[in-house]
Amino acid sequence: MSDSLLVLIPARLLAGLYGSLRHVLQDVLVILWDNGLALYNLLTWDLPANAVVPKGCLGAGGVWPPYAPSTEGDSRCSCPALNAMANHGILPRSGRGITFRELNAKIRETYNFAPSFCFFVPNYAANMLCRDYWNDTFDLSDLDAHNCIEHDASLTREDCVDAKDQAKPSERLIEELLASGTGPHGDLTHADLSRMSGKRRTESKLKNGQFSLTTFHKIFGSSNSSTMLTVFGGKIKDLRPILLEERIPDGWQSRVRHRMGLTMAEFNKSALRVELGIREEVWGYPSSAQQKKKM
Ligand code: HEM
């Protein structure tokens, strides 16, 4: 073995170990921070429903900047909430050159997520794209790298094998979702999201020859769909413009009224409830033969 390899190999091993330890330490610190924020929320009064967006921020008092759907050359992604921010100019209307730090600040102001979540998810996205959270930028469409965050069997997008452009909402799926609510006024509940996710997973598995969905993506899917219950309160009248037009309704403010916003601790409970309520995950997905028999 040459001298240079004797230096290179331990240096690579140490660099790898340092990188992993740094990530673990960062995650532990974010979880501790998040739990502290959850405790603070428990001990303080909620914000009034009409004053969730801080004064001086875009959307304060429910007055959102003008809506304009994306035009040719704009970048959009599979996330309706981020697209809506770009359609209102809260993020750059082009959807391009967004800093991860800007994403953090704007999600906090617009949807009232806790600062821990607003750091954790954009930082995760930066790592996923091999970029530096503190200095780099991204375009919204970069988030659609398949099986990074974007995955099969979502509630608002056809699988990418059928719809290469994941920025395009599926009217078929969204109308079916909006019609599935069994709560008061037909609003969505945890059970509805579990049922619809189970149905989507079954449908995708039967139809999509390239179907893939790891446990990690299942949890991610349930987390994304849980935002419909937490931030939008499951309200069909608000979800319709958000999901179909990617527009924030006039006068709308986040249903999360905690002073420190929606913590991961609280959010994960809702996401787990949706994920664990999916019957197909316990009783199995029907095979195509069983499915044909039913028809
Ligand atoms: C923090 C940065 C965020 C990133 C990087 C992100 C990314 C994504 C991605 C890649 C998807 C597509 C997943 C799929 O294939 O189904 C998605 C879906 C979604 N996201 Fe986001 N998102 C973020 C923040 C938010 C926020 C703040 C909300 C709510 C206010 C939200 C609500 C949703 C919803 C409702 C879906 C659709 C779920 C589905 O179709 O099943 N996201 N997000």
Side-chain angles (χ1 to χ4, degrees), residues 26-47:
Q26 193 179 60
D27 289 353
V28 170
L29 288 175
V30 173
I31 290 168
L32 287 175
W33 178 30
D34 186 77
N35 279 289
L37 296 172
L39 185 65
Y40 182 90
N41 281 339
L42 271 180
L43 300 175
T44 50
W45 306 126
D46 276 354
L47 295 161

Side-chain angles (χ1 to χ4, degrees), residues 1-287:
M1 208 185 301
S2 69
D3 276 2
S4 60
L5 273 187
L6 282 175
V7 176
L8 191 63
I9 291 172
R12 287 283 306 267
L13 287 175
L14 278 177
L17 192 67
Y18 168 74
S20 310
L21 282 179
R22 199 172 57 102
H23 278 126
V24 171
L25 186 68
Q26 193 179 60
D27 289 353
V28 170
L29 288 175
V30 173
I31 290 168
L32 287 175
W33 178 30
D34 186 77
N35 279 289
L37 296 172
L39 185 65
Y40 182 90
N41 281 339
L42 271 180
L43 300 175
T44 50
W45 306 126
D46 276 354
L47 295 161
N50 61 0
V52 176
V53 179
K55 266 196 196 140
C57 293
L58 298 175
V63 182
W64 297 97
Y67 164 83
S70 62
T71 53
E72 180 120 15
D74 289 344
S75 180
R76 292 292 184 268
C77 66
S78 47
C79 177
L82 301 185
N83 289 344
M85 288 167 81
N87 290 342
H88 283 274
I90 300 165
L91 290 175
R93 288 192 186 266
S94 66
R96 297 185 185 278
I98 302 165
T99 66
F100 293 97
R101 295 164 78 172
E102 176 185 11
L103 179 64
N104 172 334
K106 296 297 180 186
I107 292 169
R108 167 115 185 84
E109 291 169 10
T110 308
Y111 296 114
N112 197 23
F113 270 93
S116 44
F117 174 98
C118 295
F119 168 74
F120 187 84
V121 181
N123 182 53
Y124 176 87
N127 287 334
M128 172 191 96
L129 295 170
C130 299
R131 304 209 185 140
D132 176 22
Y133 169 86
W134 301 102
N135 298 306
D136 287 342
T137 64
F138 70 102
D139 295 348
L140 286 177
S141 60
D142 295 339
L143 299 174
D144 287 350
H146 186 50
N147 277 343
C148 287
I149 300 180
E150 188 283 316
H151 54 80
D152 284 338
S154 0
L155 295 176
T156 66
R157 300 294 190 269
E158 303 290 346
D159 290 356
C160 82
V161 72
D162 293 322
K164 288 279 165 274
D165 181 6
Q166 283 290 300
K168 201 172 169 318
S170 161
E171 220 177 299
R172 173 187 83 89
L173 290 175
I174 295 173
E175 287 294 358
E176 195 184 355
L177 175 70
L178 295 175
S180 72
T182 58
H185 315 292
D187 291 341
L188 292 176
T189 64
H190 286 91
D192 298 329
L193 287 175
S194 300
R195 199 179 62 255
M196 294 309 285
S197 297
K199 182 167 186 284
R200 273 295 284 139
R201 290 179 193 179
T202 305
E203 187 183 276
S204 286
K205 210 169 172 202
L206 289 171
K207 264 184 50 191
N208 174 357
Q210 294 174 21
F211 177 74
S212 66
L213 197 67
T214 60
T215 304
F216 170 80
H217 287 113
K218 288 176 186 173
I219 305 280
F220 226 101
S222 291
S223 301
N224 282 329
S225 57
S226 280
T227 60
M228 298 188 213
L229 298 171
T230 49
V231 175
F232 301 103
K235 304 277 173 221
I236 300 295
K237 73 174 175 44
D238 296 333
L239 285 168
R240 177 168 287 282
I242 281 280
L243 297 181
L244 283 170
E245 296 169 69
E246 307 195 316
R247 173 173 70 77
I248 305 178
D250 283 343
W252 180 86
Q253 294 195 48
S254 175
R255 302 272 160 181
V256 178
R257 291 169 44 203
H258 305 318
R259 286 177 187 266
M260 280 297 147
L262 183 64
T263 58
M264 298 194 287
E266 188 181 350
F267 178 63
N268 287 344
K269 272 194 263 166
S270 174
L272 268 184
R273 197 167 148 199
V274 170
E275 181 58 37
L276 296 178
I278 300 178
R279 295 170 66 88
E280 288 81 352
E281 290 297 337
V282 178
W283 307 119
Y285 290 87
S287 66

